[in-house]
Amino acid sequence: LLLGLISGWRAAVIGAVSILLSLVVTTWVMYQRGATMNVIVLAGLLASLGVVVDDAIIDIDNIIRRVREQGDTRDVKAAITIIADAAVESRSSMIYALLIIVLAAVPIFVLSGLFASFFQSLGFTYVLAVLVSMAVVLLVTPAFCLIFIPNGTDINRVSSIFERLQRVYVQTLSRAIPR
């Protein structure tokens, strides 16, 4: 939401669609596997939500930053180049983070006994959601950015809502700091 207020409604739409698509596809894959939607599966989805949101925001923020730096993107070829370069720029760090997350979850899959029945479902849901999120960030988010950010001249405009919120925040903070 903060990214949307700073960068405009387009970034908010791209982020919301990317996050929702990641969670819907994860739920669909779980459904296709025959998994029931229970508290453990929901806990796995909630645990992965931070990574899913982070993936979307980092990618969108990097693309918008590059569009701002490069200027006008009315030319489709220039826009594709700028967005592709920005997407490639953050890929290696995101893939390394994905590998670390998956490796950290591996011990869950070697559990046995009562704990295994609970935590393996949670771990599988978590890892699946993170993998789906990476796929969405790799494939869908740049395409949405190409569709929703066709003109770089509008991207530097700050939302009036954000300006009002910023004034309220500064006033509140200036009163709270002395206390």
Side-chain angles (χ1 to χ4, degrees), residues 24-48:
V24 167
V25 169
T26 301
T27 306
W28 180 78
V29 170
M30 295 294 291
Y31 173 76
Q32 292 299 318
R33 287 188 69 241
T36 59
M37 190 58 68
N38 56 32
V39 174
I40 301 298
V41 170
L42 287 175
L45 283 173
L46 286 175
S48 69

Side-chain angles (χ1 to χ4, degrees), residues 29-177:
V29 170
M30 295 294 291
Y31 173 76
Q32 292 299 318
R33 287 188 69 241
T36 59
M37 190 58 68
N38 56 32
V39 174
I40 301 298
V41 170
L42 287 175
L45 283 173
L46 286 175
S48 69
L49 191 60
V51 177
V52 171
V53 170
D54 186 56
D55 283 350
I57 288 177
I58 285 175
D59 199 44
I60 295 165
D61 185 50
N62 194 35
I63 290 171
I64 288 175
R65 182 180 53 82
R66 289 291 292 267
V67 168
R68 283 182 179 153
E69 289 172 359
Q70 300 293 326
D72 191 16
T73 57
R74 283 180 234 184
D75 180 29
V76 176
K77 288 184 180 183
I80 290 172
T81 303
I82 292 168
I83 291 173
D85 289 345
V88 168
E89 184 179 287
S90 62
R91 292 301 176 246
S92 62
S93 60
M94 292 177 101
I95 290 173
Y96 287 131
L98 172 73
L99 290 174
I100 290 169
I101 289 169
V102 170
L103 285 175
V106 166
I108 292 173
F109 298 111
V110 296
L111 288 174
S112 61
L114 183 61
F115 289 117
S117 61
F118 289 112
F119 288 111
Q120 285 178 352
S121 178
L122 184 140
F124 179 78
T125 305
Y126 177 79
V127 169
L128 178 66
V130 170
L131 289 172
V132 167
S133 172
M134 180 58 67
V136 167
V137 166
L138 287 171
L139 302 171
V140 177
T141 304
F144 280 146
C145 287
L146 187 60
I147 293 168
F148 283 107
I149 306 177
N151 185 354
T153 58
D154 186 14
I155 203 78
N156 288 320
R157 188 178 63 80
V158 177
S159 169
S160 61
I161 296 171
F162 179 72
E163 289 174 344
R164 281 183 256 148
L165 287 174
Q166 185 71 25
R167 281 195 302 271
V168 169
Y169 173 73
V170 168
Q171 290 171 354
T172 306
L173 192 61
S174 65
R175 282 187 245 132
I177 287 178

